[in-house]
Amino acid sequence: MAAIVTGLIPILRTAVDTTTTYKGRTVWFGFLCIRLVTLFVAEMPWFKLNSDFSCSITRDNVCTRACFNQHFDKPVVMVWNYIFVLLILSVLIMELFTTHIHSVFEKRTREKKESLGELKSASDPDNNTTAMMILDMHGSRNTVLFYLFSIMLRILVEFWFVYVLLYWNLSKLNQGVFICKSYDTGCPDQECLVSGTAEKRMSIYALVSVSVVGIISNSLFCIHLIGHYLL
């Protein structure tokens, strides 16, 4: 996870320094950075989930692992990281779209200058190719609809993340004691538990709070876009 943090921060900084911007852009990248830090901290209590799982009757490694696999049959950390990647993709969709709009704008501007015989050389100080271009939401309904699509996709991913946190992870911790049956494993019936549940619950609460804030912010921004640009 530390490698992910180290590798993504320069990418986010490069994306923020691009030549095209739009409303709410800084907010979305800010949320990604907050999520990245929260995810890094929240994963720490879950790194040793396997070793935190212990049983009462036997210390046999095979029986303990069999009981662990029986109850924790869904991934935890990998799903969290995968959902974070989906959130990044939901933001990059709009970034790719604005890059396309910017390239089309530059091409049309260049063609217009060439047709007028006013194309300036690259050494001309008045030829500012790095000027910031603000995406005009009033000028294109399709741009607003595409922006709404990226935000709604982000909301769906956030809702899925909250579902995973509450029904996959938190529900397991709330069980307290895990009853393991022998079945065909040859292991005795025993009771098992996970240590450090307080830290694990707190990490889930932290991630849920960030997701709820993200859902509220994205929903309010959707209402703003619809009311200000479409209605």
Side-chain angles (χ1 to χ4, degrees):
M1 187 63 192
I4 296 177
V5 174
T6 305
L8 283 179
I9 288 178
I11 296 175
L12 294 177
R13 288 184 60 187
T14 302
V16 172
D17 292 337
T18 190
T19 56
T20 307
T21 186
Y22 48 86
K23 279 192 174 182
R25 188 171 183 273
T26 305
V27 176
W28 310 139
F29 279 100
F31 271 121
L32 285 180
C33 293
I34 294 173
R35 171 63 60 82
L36 184 63
V37 174
T38 308
L39 191 63
F40 175 73
V41 175
E43 285 182 359
M44 291 182 179
W46 294 86
F47 284 148
K48 296 181 180 180
L49 178 61
N50 213 5
S51 59
D52 291 340
F53 190 84
S54 57
C55 299
S56 57
I57 297 179
T58 178
R59 293 289 181 179
D60 182 80
N61 186 60
V62 175
C63 294
T64 304
R65 296 295 175 264
C67 184
F68 178 84
N69 293 335
Q70 178 183 342
H71 290 280
F72 290 90
D73 56 340
K74 294 181 176 65
V76 178
V77 175
M78 287 301 299
V79 173
W80 294 358
N81 293 332
Y82 175 70
I83 292 177
F84 178 70
V85 171
L86 292 182
L87 288 174
I88 293 177
L89 291 177
S90 67
V91 176
L92 290 183
I93 286 176
M94 193 63 190
E95 292 299 309
L96 293 174
F97 180 75
T98 54
T99 301
H100 171 71
I101 295 296
H102 183 73
S103 62
V104 171
F105 174 78
E106 283 189 335
K107 182 179 180 181
R108 290 178 179 177
T109 303
R110 191 181 303 111
E111 290 176 352
K112 183 178 179 180
K113 288 183 178 180
E114 287 177 348
S115 63
L116 297 176
E118 297 176 359
L119 184 62
K120 298 181 180 181
S121 64
S123 60
D124 193 334
D126 295 330
N127 187 20
N128 186 10
T129 58
T130 60
M132 179 69 70
M133 188 184 78
I134 300 176
L135 200 62
D136 184 16
M137 295 291 181
H138 290 284
S140 176
R141 187 183 182 91
N142 292 333
T143 301
V144 179
L145 293 176
F146 194 89
Y147 197 9
L148 281 173
F149 168 75
S150 66
I151 294 177
M152 290 179 180
L153 180 62
R154 207 170 305 138
I155 293 175
L156 290 177
V157 174
E158 292 283 13
F159 271 114
W160 182 34
F161 191 35
V162 172
Y163 172 81
V164 169
L165 291 171
L166 297 181
Y167 293 96
W168 284 19
N169 307 140
L170 188 60
S171 61
K172 288 292 184 181
L173 295 179
N174 290 336
Q175 289 183 16
V177 178
F178 301 92
I179 307 299
C180 297
K181 301 296 182 179
S182 58
Y183 296 113
D184 297 329
T185 61
C187 299
D189 296 346
Q190 55 185 334
E191 296 179 350
C192 302
L193 56 85
V194 176
S195 59
T197 55
E199 291 81 3
K200 293 178 176 62
R201 285 195 187 94
M202 190 61 208
S203 66
I204 293 177
Y205 296 150
L207 291 173
V208 169
S209 63
V210 172
S211 292
V212 170
V213 172
I215 291 172
I216 295 174
S217 301
N218 283 283
S219 300
L220 291 176
F221 207 82
C222 275
I223 296 173
H224 168 72
L225 286 177
I226 295 173
H228 191 69
Y229 295 105
L230 296 181
L231 298 181

